Amino acid sequence: MKFIDRAKSHFESLGVQHIEVEEWKDEAGNPSSIYWNPITLSEKNKLFTLEDKLALMHKVDPDVLSKVATAMVQVITPQEVKKN
C-alpha cells in the first residue's frame, strides 16, 4: 500500500464528529450542536460565510468561536472514534 493510501484510509476512518456549544442556546434553551465530517484543507471555511466576517470579529465571543474551531480541526484517532 502506498503511503498516500494509508493517509487517505486513516482520514476516511474518522467518521462524523460533533460539538455541543452550551453558550449558543436555541429558542428552547438547548445548546447548539454542530456536526461535521473530518475537514480537509480545502473545506476549512464551511461553517460561516464572508458575510459573517464582521459579526464574527466584533459581536461573537472569541473564546467560544475558538473552541468550536479547535474542535473542528482537531485530529482524532480511529480508536477514539470507536470509543464514542
Side-chain angles (χ1 to χ4, degrees):
M1 179 183 279
K2 290 182 176 181
F3 196 77
I4 189 66
D5 293 329
R6 284 184 252 158
K8 289 174 12 183
S9 177
H10 165 258
F11 185 76
E12 291 167 358
S13 72
L14 296 177
V16 175
Q17 300 168 39
H18 81 283
I19 184 173
E20 288 191 0
V21 185
E22 293 289 335
E23 296 87 349
W24 296 347
K25 297 193 184 305
D26 65 13
E27 298 80 16
N30 300 313
S32 294
S33 294
I34 301 170
Y35 294 85
W36 68 92
N37 288 313
I39 295 178
T40 65
L41 290 177
S42 67
E43 296 176 320
K44 285 195 173 186
N45 60 357
K46 68 199 286 189
L47 187 58
F48 298 106
T49 66
L50 186 58
E51 289 79 23
D52 299 323
K53 184 177 178 179
L54 284 175
L56 289 169
M57 291 176 63
H58 300 285
K59 297 183 178 192
V60 175
D61 184 335
D63 294 331
V64 176
L65 192 57
S66 179
K67 177 174 77 171
V68 172
T70 299
M72 292 182 80
V73 298
Q74 182 177 7
V75 177
I76 61 171
T77 66
Q79 293 78 18
E80 290 173 313
V81 171
K82 290 177 185 173
K83 283 192 239 175
N84 298 326

